[in-house]
Each structure stands twice: as structure tokens, then as C-alpha cells.
Amino acid sequence: GGTDATARIVAALLEKDLGQPINVVNRTGGSGVVGHSAIATAQPDGYTLGIITVEIAMMHWAGLTNLTPKEFTPLALMNEDPPGIQVKADSAYKTVKDLADAIKAAPVGKFKASGTGQGGIWHLALVGWLQAMGLPPNQVAWVPSNGAAPAMQDLAAGGIDFTTCSIPEARAMIDAGKARSLALMAPARAAAFKDVPTLKEAMGINFTTGAWRGFAAPKGLPPEMATKLTAAFKKIYDSKEYKDFMGSRGFGTVWSDASGFAKFMDTSDAQMGTAMKAAGIAKS
């Protein structure tokens, strides 16, 4: 997946820069709780770093953990993949406005969308888009799936009307001529998908969100270590190797230093809380 791929390219380049061996360890489970807990509970000695994801802004709202972005020493934000709105290749909806107008005119629940499980980031992207249009969160029925790939297959088979997963995840179906992306929920167009307009361009809606990935250490990392590591991450972010690797896979690149990443996570946390409450899936 994107988290593993991003972690491995950054680790390989960080190893070269710092002259230290770096092992990438996948700690899966608990909708992200296991991996994020492993970072948060490690010693803040600079030898354990982690890639933290948008799930840290969601898990506590869902009642899965008490962990929040405040339990880490943020170092750098390096990737964000916003959701696109994809339809079947032969769909009658040629623009996102066509689709939005049809959704507004339809009875609640007539349209069906998918992209991930119930309450996942792409479900919340749909909720946010509907709210931005002044529609109730259940105006479109969410069909839970085990990820973007099966959702895109369901779309191609005609089982759902559209998906709200990231375009890199939809790329295989788009390249195969089985799907089209109508719009991107991002501040700007993606370099790898320049023909896809933003929601603001296409509808005048200033709603953006995405699945993001950044690097952090346990809370309490000494400032001099944090400063050194952030500088190393910036060097990697600016490198041709990193840009080529991410670009070839369609992954978005975005940079924020430690303080910028901290603010970004606070904003994401608030946004996810609002969307999850609206969708009726927040426990706290």
C-alpha cells in the first residue's frame, strides 16, 4: 500500500543521509491503532521513528483508542492523496456538476457510492462533499468495501454509481478505460492527473480533504534531534529520487515542517471529528 511504499523509499534515502541502518517494520491491526501505539510508546531517543497517517485523526473519535496527534513529536508531512470522484467510463454524468445535480434531485439513498469501509477516510470524504453542497450525510448510500480496488471493480460492474477513493487507487481502472475521474477534492490539480479539475474549479465548492502521511517520533524527543531529523526529511523530500518514486505511482507530495505538520494534524483532527459526528459514527 501507499503507507508501506512511502515508508520504504524514505527509509532507504534516510539511511544514506544519516549513515545508519534503518529497518521498516509493518505493525498492522486495529484500524491503525497497533502501529500508531508502537510509535507513541517507544523511547523518545531518536532510534524509533514512525509514519503516521490520517487514521490518527479518526481513531479516537471512533472510540478505538485514546491516542491523538498530541502523543507524538511531529517531524515532517511528506504525502497527501486527495480523493477523486470516479464514475464508470460509460456513465451519463460527464462532469461532477452533472452528478451533483442528479444527486440533489434524487430521493435519499438512491445513489450508491463506495471506496473503503464504513467510516473510513473515503466515506468521510463523501460526507464532507455532501455537507458542502448543503445535503444530508445520508443523501448517498455508502456501500462498505474492503478497500478501493474492490470498490472500483464494483463500479466497473455497475454495482455502485461512483467512488470517492484517491485517483492513484483508481488509476488501474481509469487506465484500462473502465472508469473516469470527474473531480478532485484538493486545493490544486494533481501533476499526474492534470485533466481532472478540483471541486472548486468545477463547482465553486471549497472542500478539500485527503489521506495523508507524515513522519513523527514519540512525544518528548529532544529538540536538537527533532531539528536534525526534520532537516534530513526535507533533503529527502527535495530529492529527485523521492519525487520520481512518488510521481511514477501517482502519489501526491506535500511538505510541512514540524510546526506546520502539527497545525495540519490539528485541522485534520477537527475536520474528521465533524464528518464522523455528521455520519453518526463518532463515539466521543
Side-chain angles (χ1 to χ4, degrees), residues 1-179:
T3 300
D4 179 74
T6 302
R8 289 186 186 280
I9 182 62
V10 170
L13 297 174
L14 196 62
E15 196 170 74
K16 284 184 193 175
D17 187 59
L18 298 180
Q20 295 286 332
I22 297 176
N23 299 312
V24 176
V25 181
N26 292 92
R27 301 290 294 272
T28 60
S31 299
V33 172
V34 173
H36 285 87
S37 295
I39 305 162
T41 57
Q43 290 297 313
D45 55 11
Y47 285 95
T48 299
L49 306 176
I51 184 165
I52 58 178
T53 67
V54 66
E55 280 75 25
I56 194 60
M58 299 165 64
M59 298 183 297
H60 70 98
W61 291 112
L64 300 175
T65 179
N66 291 324
L67 285 178
T68 73
K70 302 294 186 188
E71 309 307 315
F72 303 87
T73 299
L75 298 170
L77 174 66
M78 296 183 70
N79 158 253
E80 184 177 21
D81 293 318
I85 299 169
Q86 285 74 230
V87 295
K88 196 176 175 183
D90 60 1
S91 169
Y93 309 111
K94 303 304 180 187
T95 69
V96 72
K97 189 175 183 306
D98 291 342
L99 176 62
D101 288 344
I103 289 170
K104 290 174 184 177
V108 170
K110 179 184 178 184
F111 277 81
K112 295 178 175 62
S114 187
T116 188
Q118 182 80 12
I121 180 61
W122 305 140
H123 180 199
L124 298 184
L126 170 66
V127 171
W129 179 43
L130 293 173
Q131 287 187 301
M133 291 192 289
L135 298 172
N138 65 338
Q139 180 70 23
V140 173
W142 185 256
V143 180
S145 71
N146 288 324
M152 289 302 298
Q153 290 168 357
D154 198 11
L155 178 70
I160 54 176
D161 298 295
F162 63 97
T163 65
T164 49
C165 62
S166 71
I167 304 186
E169 293 173 314
R171 190 173 195 170
M173 285 292 186
I174 293 172
D175 289 348
K178 295 182 178 180

